[in-house]
Amino acid sequence: MIQFINVSKEFQNGTVGLKNIDVKIEEGEFVFLVGASGAGKSTFTKLLIREMLPTEGNILVNGKSINRLKQRQIPHYRRNIGFIFQNYRLLADRTAFENVAFSIEVLGTHRREVERKVNYALHMVGLEDRKNHFPDELSGGEQQRVAIARAIVNNPQIIIADEPTGNLDPETAKGIMDILNDINIKGTTIVMATHDAGIVNRASHRVLELSNGELIRDERQGGYRLGLI
Ligand code: ADP
């Protein structure tokens, strides 16, 4: 369902972000994107969400080239993708419920439907009892769970998570991984960029390793290989 065909990205200053990437990610897979800082992980995710275009090659999502999307078609394309960031990116002046609701309210969803979907998403992340709290009244792990609820509330096919456990202690990070695994088991494709060797080694998901913009490893149940990265 996601296919990079000979994709390269060279920035205007000549820096190579990605080089000749050929990879296919099937529907329902959970894929770790690993590699040192500067390896090309963000470039990979930014191309996938159509934040930028490749210099060469093609990216297909569900068989369609996303390179060809017109500017006005991009918001619609992105509705099918949930994002999770290292630093949560919640709106400080909105409660957990309101943060999750915001993304579907802007689509004009009926109020009762918003409530049903938001409550379900908060239930999925185990935060029903915190829904009226503001972000600064929640722990880091709870804030990330709100961010996950926000990412899944519109039932996307794909979730892109960029270092989602980067700011969390190992125990809390494990809880976040349990939730992401549950979401994946329900059928959502997950692409997760991470530096966390412990998490990659425990999870036995597919691993794509980038180095200087090249795909140097693609293993079904990879593990992180401490020392190489
Ligand atoms: P990672 O996410 O793995 O840390 P990135 O994808 O951010 O790596 O970066 C890959 C390479 O592309 C790095 O050398 C980085 O400096 C470079 N790069 C990223 N974005 C830009 C940009 N907008 N302009 C120029 N070079 C960039």
Side-chain angles (χ1 to χ4, degrees), residues 9 11-18 34-46 52 162 193 195 210 212-213:
K9 175 70 185 177
F11 294 100
Q12 273 182 345
N13 64 3
T15 309
V16 173
L18 286 180
V34 306
S37 178
K41 304 182 296 296
S42 300
T43 305
F44 189 101
T45 56
K46 283 178 183 163
M52 54 196 190
D162 191 0
H195 273 101
L210 293 168
N212 295 322

Side-chain angles (χ1 to χ4, degrees), residues 121-140:
L122 287 168
H123 166 76
M124 277 290 294
V125 300
L127 271 189
E128 300 103 316
D129 59 339
R130 295 277 196 283
K131 67 181 181 183
N132 294 321
H133 289 230
F134 287 91
D136 67 359
E137 298 167 335
L138 298 169
S139 70

